[in-house]
Amino acid sequence: MKKFLVGAFALALSGSAALAGGHQQVDSIHFLIPGGAGGGWDGTARGTGEALTKSGMVGSATYENMSGGGGGKAIGYLIENAGSSEGTLMVNSTPIVIRSLQGVFDYNFTDLTMIAGTIGDYAALVVGKDSSVQNFADLLAIYNSNPADLAIAGGSVAGGMDHLVAALAFKRAGADATQVNYLPFDAGGEALAALLSGEADALSTGLGEAIELAKQGEVRIIGVTAPERLADAPDVPTLKEQGVDAQFVNWRGFFAAPGLSDEKRAAYIKVLGDVQGTDEWEAVRARNGWVNIYNPGDEFTSFLQTQEAEIKALMTELGFL
Amino acid sequence: MLEGLLTGLAAALSFKAIAMVVVGCLIGTFIGMLPGLGPMSIIAIMIPFAVSLGDPTTSLIMLAGVYYGAVFGGSTSSILINAPGVPSTVATSFDGYPLARQGKAGKALTIAAVSSFAGGTIGAILLTLFASPLAEFAKTFWSAEYFALMVAGLTAIAAFAGRGQVLKAILMVLVGLMLATVGQGALFNQARFTMGIADLESGVGFVTLIMALFALPEALFLVLNPKKGSQAGDGQDKEIKDLRITGEEARKIAPVIGRQSILGFLIGVMPGAGATIASFIGYATERNLASSEERAEFGRGSVKGLSAPETANNAASTGSFVPMLTLGIPGSGTTAILLGALIALGVTPGPALIDKNPEIFWGVIVSMYIGNVVLLILNLPLIPYIAKLLTVPRAYLIPFVLFFSLMGAYIGQNNATELYLMIGLAGVATLLRFADYPLPPIIIGFILGVMLEDNLGRSLRKFRGLDWMWERPVTLGLLIVAVLFILVPLFSDWRARQGRAKQTAQGD
Amino acid sequence: MASRWFTLERAIALVIFIIALAYINASFHIRMLPFELRQPFKPNTFPLAIGIMTAVVAFLVAVIPPRATQAGEEKAVAGDAEGWRDFDWKRFFIFFGLMIAYATFLRPAGFLLSTVSFLVLGSLVLKEYRLWMSVPIIVVLTFGLWYLVTQILGIYMPAMPNSHLLGQMFGSAATSGA
């Protein structure tokens, strides 16, 4: 996992040397979006499609929203209609792993053809600017003395991603991770508001959600789940450097129907990687605040397998499964 | 501050900016009428275009036009065909649709437009003056206070609990609460009460339920009752288009607008509340402040009942910019998307925004003033034409309303199961109407239920008990207000009846 | 008005009562995670509370004797329940069927064909027989809306019949092309 992440960032950094306007590599892509118009998956697919078509690497892109079953409907559709879905890419993200483990879907994500992870975000533990907590050790001390006194807010469901990340950090620090007093909120913004209002003592969220406020001194990030400090945020300490080997990346990426031909797969993998070097991609990326984490083909597959195994072990231990 | 406003104005008053706000308002109004496409999706769709305009102020002004246009467009479909496309315009339909049914569609739309304008503009003034202190105020609200706020919002059902209907209204709000627990929520790991149907994992869709309860039964009722159909429309053509408000009506709604602009704005400032809660609380408050006779009109075409939620939801939408601009926290789905747009324009909202990018901060505020004014100027002349939609022959109107409602749940989702659910629920709703069960309480319970449970659950987890209900003064205060909202009208009605009984007794 | 005791109102309350009981029962069977079991607020806390309240209120509505309705009292939804015998139930059920058919065919037959058929058939049921007038209007409006939603707003909505899905609907015989 570590190797991939470091590689991914090296690639992301070197990516700014733009390959201006590549030639067309794929005629058309049909994006299948497992949620409604306007959501996060929708934005990822449309933004990616926009960069692909504007840079000329893909002739045309179409988008299909298919909500239902928390994303399960689209997965089922792609598998059941594999024969006629050669030109389809489905967008998805970390929750597909978690939800597959929970048995929410009729199918597992491993039934699909994995194309590439393209963007992502690390998780961060955050406290308010007036908090006495300066680093992860302080947080751990409060947690160890009485976990109920440490209300940790997050923007996902109890037992979901933000909860898992907080539990992961405490577990790797040797504490009993099952006692996390987690306050779930509907969205990251509301969780952040709860931190500022003092309702929550700490916040577990995506780095992207907290970084701007941290730069303005409103909140303090006491640790990110990256393997090493990030170029975009050199002042933010990692959990790892504080002796807690908790690593986690929330990715977004693309999947294709089962039984996709090797050359088609290779073409998709290549075009999703090449596009990240273009100005058109950079414009979309900056607009959405994405972090480039290009993770192609078989690396993506093995990354997902590792992530699945890790999350499964953690969720089993925490009694989430 | 004045200097800041002038900076913003100077940037905003270019020909291009004005042209863009006009375009934005028109696009917003027309797309906003389509149920299922609320301000949030429309803004999400328009952002790439707005960003491509280059100049941040122009982009923001255009988006403000789209936003206000979409909110007004949503009110239009609530009033004309009882089809509120987004939760914040549900309360608008409570009195707006009865007014349209009485042939006063033009008047209802005008009241909505004027109230929206006033709510939005007064909200913008409050934002100009008090953004920073209000942000501090917003920070005092915890889940406990939100819970109390939702309880106060629930009292809006009182308007549908006429005599002999109290238990039925309570039953319907409970049914709404039960529906709200279906599917995956924020609080718990598993989806509940899905009965094994995968499509219920994400719960019953808002548009699905609202169309099934409001728009479809109305249209089906016109199918059932041929007599009702033949009379309306023709003779009332003049009145439908007539958008004048009488002096008496203006006197009635002026204080409502004044109060609800402020109250709605304050509720909107809270990151966990927003325009929908503001509209319900505004509706409940005004009903309680109204005189006994006026109160009886609520739910049957009261101008106050229309003006209150329309003012409050617009003021609240403006208020939701406070946490976004000053704290960098998106308080609603729409501001979350606008936050994305700001970041795309290279601006980072937060405490430093006023100092670092004053032209953006003031540009946003000025765009609100301009967006509201332009929308009013554009829409007033359009209202007669919009209202005339109702005079379309029924052979076209009814199939279109049905089609329109079905589309609302299908657009952007492509999920036919939602449609079956909607049709089934519409059948149930038709039955409920025949038995005189009031339907609005279902939707009030449904909308507030999720937030009620989430905030209650978080508070219980945080405090490990119920002490917070009386230990936190604001929570206690709001809960007392909620109880008063229920008791005061009952008491004053009782007094009125006693008085009447005495009079008749003396008269005999 | 001789009102019988067992009205539609009571029947509905009784059905809601039964649903509430089923709901309470289902609340006891929500699968809970170990950490949720320890918490004061469980996934079934709120459902149990509202389920029990619903059952009680529904029961009351079902059994409380009817109040003598005084003259001049207004009903919440005035007039809906009156004269239902005169209503055009046939048309009502035709529309119901039309909506179900529309939902079923929308995806396989495509937006344009399904919508135009739905609107034309709907207007025919409502005695608009001037097809030379209605069809062009409906076609133009349907196409306009489709164009707006898909081409301008960029929202996906399949316009044309999908032989694959149609094949699935009508058995495998029709899928030879897929």
Side-chain angles (χ1 to χ4, degrees):
Chain A
M1 179 167 174
K2 184 185 164 184
K3 194 175 136 231
F4 131 63
L5 286 170
V6 175
F9 264 87
L11 193 136
L13 292 174
S14 65
S16 44
L19 330 153
H23 66 287
Q24 185 168 328
Q25 301 182 0
V26 177
D27 289 342
S28 68
I29 294 180
H30 181 71
F31 287 101
L32 182 63
I33 302 158
W41 282 327
D42 192 55
T44 307
R46 284 170 199 268
T48 306
E50 184 187 333
L52 284 169
T53 48
K54 278 192 179 165
S55 67
M57 289 180 168
V58 171
S60 66
T62 47
Y63 310 94
E64 173 174 8
N65 295 93
M66 186 184 286
S67 55
K73 191 163 184 131
I75 298 176
Y77 177 84
L78 194 55
I79 290 171
E80 284 158 18
N81 297 285
S84 57
S85 301
E86 275 258 298
T88 302
L89 286 184
M90 178 179 68
V91 62
N92 226 300
S93 59
T94 314
I96 197 180
V97 177
I98 299 175
R99 310 211 80 201
S100 287
L101 283 170
Q102 289 170 332
V104 175
F105 303 144
D106 295 339
Y107 298 96
N108 194 293
F109 73 92
T110 48
D111 297 332
L112 298 160
T113 302
M114 291 164 216
I115 301 298
T118 52
I119 54 173
D121 194 9
Y122 294 104
L125 293 175
V126 188
V127 295
K129 63 176 174 190
D130 301 323
S131 167
S132 64
V133 174
Q134 295 296 331
N135 50 41
F136 184 74
D138 292 350
L139 195 72
L140 186 66
I142 300 177
Y143 181 75
N144 277 335
S145 65
N146 185 2
D149 284 348
L150 187 69
I152 301 181
S156 61
V157 67
M161 206 164 58
D162 292 342
H163 190 179
L164 273 177
V165 167
L168 176 70
F170 289 125
K171 183 191 157 197
R172 291 287 155 85
D176 173 9
T178 62
Q179 301 296 320
V180 175
N181 184 9
Y182 179 75
L183 299 182
F185 286 84
D186 238 358
E190 279 180 38
L192 197 54
L195 180 73
L196 294 184
S197 75
E199 179 174 1
D201 306 300
L203 168 70
S204 167
T205 188
L207 179 65
E209 301 236 29
I211 186 73
E212 288 303 334
L213 280 185
K215 282 183 179 163
Q216 297 181 25
E218 288 297 296
V219 297
R220 183 159 52 240
I221 300 175
I222 56 167
V224 289
T225 57
E228 52 193 53
R229 290 204 180 201
L230 306 170
D232 283 346
D235 301 334
V236 175
T238 64
L239 286 170
K240 190 159 189 285
E241 71 186 51
Q242 300 178 61
V244 182
D245 189 18
Q247 296 189 21
F248 185 85
V249 62
N250 176 17
W251 53 268
R252 282 191 195 152
F254 294 91
F255 296 78
L260 186 74
S261 70
D262 284 346
E263 67 232 68
K264 266 271 179 195
R265 178 167 183 246
Y268 288 140
I269 291 171
K270 182 166 185 315
V271 78
L272 286 173
D274 286 353
V275 76
Q276 296 205 347
T278 62
D279 294 335
E280 290 82 3
W281 171 268
E282 183 51 29
V284 174
R285 188 203 64 78
R287 190 170 85 215
N288 290 289
W290 294 340
V291 177
N292 288 339
I293 298 182
Y294 178 59
N295 190 7
D298 295 338
E299 282 174 51
F300 187 46
T301 311
S302 62
F303 162 74
L304 287 181
Q305 281 161 354
T306 316
Q307 191 178 45
E308 185 186 23
E310 281 191 348
I311 292 178
K312 186 175 184 181
L314 185 64
M315 289 176 77
T316 312
E317 184 185 327
L318 297 177
F320 287 5
L321 283 180
Chain B
M1 181 183 297
L2 196 63
E3 199 185 325
L5 269 180
L6 289 175
T7 322
L9 262 179
L13 283 177
S14 68
F15 173 76
K16 189 179 172 196
I18 300 289
M20 279 303 140
V21 74
V22 170
V23 170
C25 280
L26 285 175
I27 293 177
T29 308
F30 283 104
I31 304 178
M33 287 183 202
L34 298 175
L37 288 180
M40 199 171 117
S41 350
I42 301 172
I43 289 179
I45 288 162
M46 295 303 296
I47 279 181
F49 174 69
V51 170
S52 71
L53 292 173
D55 166 38
T57 317
T58 313
S59 313
L60 281 172
I61 286 176
M62 195 221 151
L63 287 176
V66 172
Y67 184 36
Y68 289 114
V71 172
F72 182 73
S75 306
T76 309
S77 41
S78 307
I79 291 170
L80 293 183
I81 58 170
N82 212 14
V86 285
S88 59
T89 57
V90 168
T92 305
S93 70
F94 292 168
D95 284 293
Y97 181 69
L99 276 172
R101 221 177 146 180
Q102 292 159 20
K104 297 174 189 161
K107 177 180 285 182
L109 288 171
T110 309
I111 292 174
V114 171
S115 304
S116 305
F117 166 75
T121 305
I122 297 174
I125 294 172
L126 293 171
L127 179 62
T128 314
L129 297 175
F130 306 115
S132 301
L134 280 170
E136 292 306 311
F137 170 60
K139 282 198 212 165
T140 61
F141 261 57
W142 289 15
S143 299
E145 283 76 28
Y146 288 121
F147 169 74
L149 204 58
M150 305 307 154
V151 175
L154 271 186
T155 65
I157 65 152
F160 306 96
R163 292 243 280 144
Q165 296 279 98
V166 179
L167 273 182
K168 279 155 86 180
I170 295 175
L171 187 59
M172 289 299 102
V173 84
L174 285 166
V175 168
L177 290 172
M178 277 166 59
L179 281 171
T181 59
V182 173
Q184 170 86 59
L187 218 47
F188 303 110
N189 202 274
Q190 24 323 91
R192 296 176 292 176
F193 308 110
T194 58
M195 297 169 284
I197 302 167
D199 283 293
L200 285 178
E201 287 275 336
S202 36
V204 180
F206 164 77
V207 178
T208 309
L209 187 63
I210 190 81
M211 295 302 154
L213 291 181
F214 284 27
L216 286 183
E218 277 303 327
L220 287 174
F221 203 75
L222 292 176
V223 171
L224 271 176
N225 196 344
K227 273 180 270 165
K228 240 183 194 166
S230 51
Q231 297 158 352
D234 319 320
Q236 296 171 331
D237 194 19
K238 267 221 179 75
E239 209 186 342
I240 283 181
K241 287 190 289 179
D242 188 4
L243 43 86
R244 268 171 304 180
I245 307 176
T246 65
E248 193 200 345
E249 284 161 342
R251 269 194 299 282
K252 271 187 180 174
I253 62 172
V256 173
I257 288 176
R259 283 189 293 265
Q260 292 313 318
S261 307
I262 298 172
L263 185 62
F265 181 78
L266 289 178
I267 295 172
V269 167
M270 309 297 163
T276 310
I277 313 296
S279 67
F280 286 149
I281 290 188
Y283 191 79
T285 316
E286 288 307 328
R287 184 175 175 274
N288 281 303
L289 292 175
S291 69
S292 206
E293 307 97 76
E294 279 179 337
R295 191 178 304 132
E297 280 179 25
F298 271 69
R300 299 194 172 87
S302 156
V303 290
K304 282 187 163 185
L306 170 61
S307 173
E310 267 302 288
T311 311
N313 71 19
N314 275 275
S317 305
T318 310
S320 65
F321 279 79
V322 170
M324 183 187 100
L325 290 174
T326 59
L327 301 174
I329 296 172
S332 63
T334 312
T335 46
I337 287 181
L338 278 172
L339 188 68
L342 282 175
I343 292 170
L345 294 164
V347 186
T348 319
L353 180 68
I354 302 187
D355 302 327
K356 239 169 62 184
N357 300 87
E359 75 288 355
I360 299 291
F361 182 83
W362 295 109
V364 172
I365 289 179
V366 166
S367 74
M368 290 175 171
Y369 290 111
I370 297 184
N372 272 302
V373 172
V374 170
L375 186 67
L376 189 70
I377 296 173
L378 276 184
N379 276 321
L380 283 181
L382 279 179
I383 283 175
Y385 301 98
I386 298 175
K388 236 190 141 198
L389 284 176
L390 285 184
T391 61
V392 167
R394 265 148 215 277
Y396 293 97
L397 189 64
I398 293 172
F400 261 103
V401 171
L402 295 178
F403 154 71
F404 204 62
S405 310
L406 291 168
M407 259 309 87
Y410 191 75
I411 253 180
Q413 311 285 338
N414 297 313
N415 186 352
T417 319
E418 288 285 326
L419 301 185
Y420 295 125
L421 188 63
M422 186 195 282
I423 298 165
L425 285 170
V428 174
T430 311
L431 261 182
L432 287 171
R433 278 190 60 155
F434 270 106
D436 275 351
Y437 280 91
L439 297 178
I442 300 184
I443 202 77
I444 298 177
F446 179 76
I447 292 173
L448 296 180
V450 176
M451 291 185 268
L452 204 63
E453 183 181 15
D454 285 359
N455 286 303
L456 177 64
R458 277 195 291 266
S459 301
L460 278 169
R461 276 186 195 176
K462 168 87 186 160
F463 294 99
R464 322 231 131 214
L466 285 171
D467 299 350
W468 47 273
M469 283 196 186
W470 44 91
E471 280 175 359
R472 292 181 66 82
V474 180
T475 309
L476 183 64
L478 285 168
L479 287 173
I480 290 173
V481 167
V483 173
L484 288 179
F485 271 9
I486 296 169
L487 292 184
V488 167
L490 286 179
F491 180 70
S492 73
D493 283 354
W494 179 77
R495 278 272 302 270
R497 237 178 302 141
Q498 293 298 101
R500 240 176 294 150
K502 226 177 240 166
Q503 270 180 359
T504 34
Q506 280 165 356
D508 282 346
Chain C
M1 239 171 62
S3 65
R4 285 175 303 136
W5 185 83
F6 194 76
T7 52
L8 179 62
E9 182 179 355
R10 287 178 200 285
I12 288 173
L14 213 59
V15 172
I16 297 178
F17 176 72
I18 293 164
I19 292 173
L21 292 186
Y23 181 85
I24 294 169
N25 178 51
S27 303
F28 282 111
H29 293 97
I30 297 172
R31 199 170 63 97
M32 276 185 256
L33 302 177
F35 78 93
E36 287 177 329
L37 282 169
R38 281 197 312 269
Q39 273 166 346
F41 194 79
K42 296 180 181 51
N44 64 9
T45 311
F46 188 73
L48 277 178
I50 57 173
I52 291 168
M53 278 157 71
T54 310
V56 171
V57 176
F59 183 75
L60 287 177
V61 174
V63 299
I64 282 180
R67 259 161 26 99
T69 35
Q70 290 155 16
E73 261 188 36
E74 272 185 89
K75 282 182 171 180
V77 194
D80 277 8
E82 284 147 31
W84 61 276
R85 265 173 246 276
D86 303 334
F87 287 168
D88 199 335
W89 287 99
K90 201 175 110 198
R91 280 202 329 202
F92 177 85
F93 285 109
I94 291 174
F95 264 102
F96 228 78
L98 264 181
M99 287 199 289
I100 293 171
Y102 182 61
T104 311
F105 281 95
L106 189 51
R107 187 74 207 268
F111 175 78
L112 295 179
L113 189 63
S114 322
T115 306
V116 169
S117 317
F118 176 77
L119 293 174
V120 171
L121 289 174
S123 67
L124 279 177
V125 175
L126 293 168
K127 304 200 171 76
E128 168 66 59
Y129 298 123
R130 293 169 295 174
L131 285 178
W132 51 269
M133 211 177 100
S134 64
V135 172
I137 296 176
I138 285 168
V139 168
V140 167
L141 280 172
T142 308
F143 185 79
L145 188 74
W146 175 82
Y147 189 82
L148 172 77
V149 169
T150 60
Q151 304 301 301
I152 297 179
L153 300 180
I155 295 170
Y156 177 81
M157 200 155 64
M160 291 299 156
N162 179 330
S163 60
H164 186 67
L165 288 173
L166 279 173
Q168 280 180 351
M169 281 180 71
F170 297 109
S172 53
T175 47
S176 53

